[in-house]
Amino acid sequence: MKQLTIIKIGGNVIDNSANLHQFLLDFTALPGDKILVHGGGKIATELGESLGIEAKMVDGRRITDIETLRIVTMVYAGLINKNMVAQLQAKGNNAIGLTGADGNIIKAKKRLVEEIDYGYVGDLDENSVSSATLDNLLKAGLTPVLSAITHDGDSQLLNTNADTIAAAVAVAMSTLYETRLVYCFEKKGVLKDVNDDNSVVREIKSGEFEGLKADGTVAGGMIPKLHNAFEAINKGVSTVYIGKADELNELAGGVFGTKMNP
């Protein structure tokens, strides 16, 4: 099977033009087929505030009312997505920018209201991603760049977590490719000591996850990242990495960040 790399980047890259330029150079240089998934960074919040729309967050998650949905659609699917596609074209990477609605690539379900009403937020399941459509784009020599906007199949756009999208895409594509999933963020990987950037845990096996949570090595925002990582591995993804965006060029040598294994 051919190898496919799915890479997710967040605000720490998107919000800094120099970091984004270098990341896209490194991304373009990666051999083989690849898909890029991105979130939105601070731009959506700043634009909303300039229009008098205050961001509402609960436990780090954005509440997406109808006004916020309009903002994140404009920013994620428009400004950020097309800016990255234009930069990739300039670097010789024939990219195509997409939402989940384009080609019916990612169909989500609006999150049910339980204790909190998250608004127009989409959740994914094992049938959400159209692997056939993505495969056709890759075979046509295109690099899909997926924003964090999906749809419900009944004309409603939805805001969906980019980490979740990346994992779902990796799992769906694992039936056609040997897929590896890469989460890029501001740290060098999972750290033994959060105050020491060089204390990277180079490899974690699925059976070690609970123990690392118990001893505090994995805490806070790293818990859902690793949960997504091992969920992906358990559903067919060959390898998952978590590491720093500006070290992506080290991926080819196998020394990038923290590697998650079954």
Side-chain angles (χ1 to χ4, degrees), residues 62-83:
R62 188 185 297 271
I63 303 294
T64 307
D65 58 20
I66 192 62
E67 294 298 331
T68 301
L69 180 65
R70 290 169 179 161
I71 295 293
V72 297
T73 301
M74 286 190 288
V75 173
Y76 299 176
L79 180 63
I80 293 174
N81 188 271
K82 301 313 173 190
N83 176 54

Side-chain angles (χ1 to χ4, degrees), residues 6-251:
I6 293 105
I7 298 182
K8 185 267 173 178
I9 59 167
N12 61 301
V13 180
I14 294 166
D15 294 334
N16 184 302
S17 59
N19 288 351
L20 181 60
H21 170 73
Q22 186 58 52
F23 168 82
L24 293 175
L25 280 174
D26 295 339
F27 175 81
T28 298
L30 282 176
D33 293 320
K34 44 197 177 272
I35 295 172
L36 180 59
V37 180
H38 67 85
K42 298 176 183 176
I43 300 172
T45 299
E46 291 172 351
L47 178 59
E49 289 175 351
S50 73
L51 297 172
I53 301 167
E54 184 179 352
K56 304 178 187 72
M57 311 290 285
V58 176
D59 295 331
R61 295 183 178 183
R62 188 185 297 271
I63 303 294
T64 307
D65 58 20
I66 192 62
E67 294 298 331
T68 301
L69 180 65
R70 290 169 179 161
I71 295 293
V72 297
T73 301
M74 286 190 288
V75 173
Y76 299 176
L79 180 63
I80 293 174
N81 188 271
K82 301 313 173 190
N83 176 54
M84 283 199 284
V85 168
Q87 289 196 51
L88 286 168
Q89 297 293 359
K91 294 168 175 55
N93 189 327
N94 193 9
I96 181 169
L98 302 161
T99 69
D102 296 297
N104 199 29
I105 287 174
I106 307 172
K107 189 162 72 172
K109 294 179 181 177
K110 186 174 182 292
R111 184 171 297 170
L112 297 175
V113 178
E114 294 179 349
E115 292 182 8
I116 300 168
D117 183 358
Y118 284 99
Y120 293 94
V121 168
D123 290 326
L124 308 181
D125 60 30
E126 65 276 7
N127 299 312
S128 291
V129 177
S130 174
S131 57
T133 304
L134 287 170
D135 185 40
N136 286 336
L137 292 171
L138 293 166
K139 286 177 177 175
L142 295 166
T143 297
V145 180
L146 302 175
S147 66
I149 301 296
T150 59
H151 76 129
D152 69 353
D154 193 27
S155 76
Q156 181 60 60
L157 295 174
L158 297 166
N159 183 16
T160 299
N161 180 273
D163 282 358
T164 303
I165 288 175
V169 168
V171 170
M173 299 304 289
S174 68
T175 61
L176 304 172
Y177 296 80
E178 180 185 341
T179 58
R180 60 180 178 180
L181 172 60
V182 182
Y183 287 114
C184 290
F185 74 139
E186 68 275 8
K187 298 291 185 181
K188 291 187 174 184
V190 178
L191 305 178
K192 293 177 184 175
D193 179 355
V194 293
N195 297 312
D196 181 1
D197 282 347
N198 295 313
S199 63
V200 179
V201 180
R202 286 297 177 188
E203 187 171 329
I204 300 174
K205 294 183 178 179
S206 181
E208 299 170 334
F209 183 33
E210 292 301 323
L212 291 172
K213 283 196 294 183
D215 68 17
T217 300
V218 176
M222 287 303 297
I223 293 176
K225 280 190 183 295
L226 264 67
H227 176 76
N228 274 333
F230 287 119
E231 277 281 299
I233 285 174
N234 291 335
K235 293 178 179 177
V237 176
S238 62
T239 313
V240 182
Y241 293 86
I242 295 177
K244 198 168 187 177
D246 62 10
E247 295 182 347
L248 185 64
N249 61 340
E250 297 179 0
L251 185 63

